[in-house]
Amino acid sequence: MQAMLTYSLRTNSARHPRFDNSVRFDRDVAFVPQTASRSMERYSRSGEDDEPSRHFRPRPLSHFRTGDVIDQAVGIFPSDAVTRRTLAWDGMAIEVVQAIRHDKVDFCFRAPLHLLVAYEEGVRENGETLIEGLPHSTLRDVKHKLAFVPAGHEYREWQEPRTRGRIVYFYFDPAKMPIDPRAGADTPLAPRLFFEDKALWETAVKLGKLIESGSEDRHYCEALGVVLAHELVRRSAGTRRVEPPARGGLAAWQQRTVCRYIEEHIAAQIPLATLAHLVRLSTYHFCRAFKRSFGVPPHRYHNARRIEHAKTLLAQPARSVTEIALKVGFSETSSFTATFRKATGTTPTAYRRSLA
């Protein structure tokens, strides 16, 4: 039996698409909604006479848990703010997500699949990205960055785009991933956020362009998918301790240390020298490294965290706006209101009414 690929432009009305194993490789295949129970019915094993293999290699589509992969794709809200184009074969699925408006968009994901995220285009006016196990990031220029979410980890992101973003998601079945002999079969892959890797990036971009162009060269797509899986595992084997997100940024332990200190002293005026001392850097090098990692200077990051805390407190009707302003470190209600409006586009009082 020849290996088959399925390929389609996802419609917004069918958020959980189904692939029909009987169709040929066709860019015009339509998605058909299905229930989760039917998806689980198609959850198949490798052949009865063959032992399951952990090695990532193309197999006939009938052996691929396609429904499970796509049903557990990244959730995007509102769904009609983007278009989604998907390609899938044994052990892997790829999805190109293109923003078509400048609306605020939320992303969420947690599944028994590995997820590699390639941010091809996109500069956000505001936003935050979180991968479970790592400090969150408010980096604004995410273009040409990568992120990796191991199976079972949570990935959350929201953004108010300055430019229309384009993201490529790569979903991997952990059971079909290659094994790096340096690490062993049971060594978990580490989460990584906003990192750069030339080899991974070039392969990911090639696959994304093939999907966008509607390529029907399934063998080439499969081969690139195998290369991408091997590169991902090979590089992760040497980075079990998470690397800085990009050259010149803070190391993971430094990010965690600084974020924890800011959260614990959210209402205080924190000197730069204090933060720099915590991570064993000079003030000058700390400021440069911090901006490289988080996309904003330390004081702007601190203010952003104050506003997020204020949003949580505004959900509690018993607290007055003045009390909340003091609680998050503003000495005057007017300065709190001005900062809140600049960050959110609305006043604290109007934001509280919107929650009701």
Side-chain angles (χ1 to χ4, degrees), residues 225-256:
V226 172
V227 170
L228 189 65
H230 276 275
E231 291 287 355
L232 183 61
V233 170
R234 188 170 70 86
R235 278 159 171 73
S236 296
T239 57
R240 301 303 170 184
R241 293 185 179 275
V242 182
E243 299 174 347
R247 180 181 298 176
L250 296 173
W253 74 268
Q254 293 173 316
Q255 294 181 44
R256 288 193 296 269

Side-chain angles (χ1 to χ4, degrees), residues 73-127:
V74 173
I76 304 178
F77 311 95
S79 61
D80 59 359
V82 301
T83 61
R84 308 176 74 162
R85 190 179 290 272
T86 306
L87 179 72
W89 64 90
D90 186 30
M92 186 174 177
I94 308 169
E95 191 172 42
V96 177
V97 177
Q98 176 69 59
I100 56 177
R101 301 202 302 265
H102 286 85
D103 297 354
K104 178 183 176 182
V105 184
D106 291 276
F107 305 82
C108 63
F109 174 82
R110 187 197 289 270
L113 305 168
H114 296 316
L115 172 67
L116 178 67
V117 186
Y119 297 85
E120 283 197 3
E121 298 290 341
V123 177
R124 52 195 190 188
E125 193 69 40
N126 203 359

Side-chain angles (χ1 to χ4, degrees), residues 17 53 58 86 95 119 131 146 151 161 166 175 183 189 193 201 209 214 228 265-266 269 286 288 294 299 334:
S53 172
T86 306
E95 191 172 42
Y119 297 85
I131 296 177
L146 295 164
R166 172 187 166 93
L189 300 181
L193 177 57
W201 179 259
K209 288 182 177 178
L228 189 65
H265 301 81
I266 199 70
Q269 298 296 324
F286 167 73
R288 293 190 63 182
F294 293 94
H299 71 278
S334 58

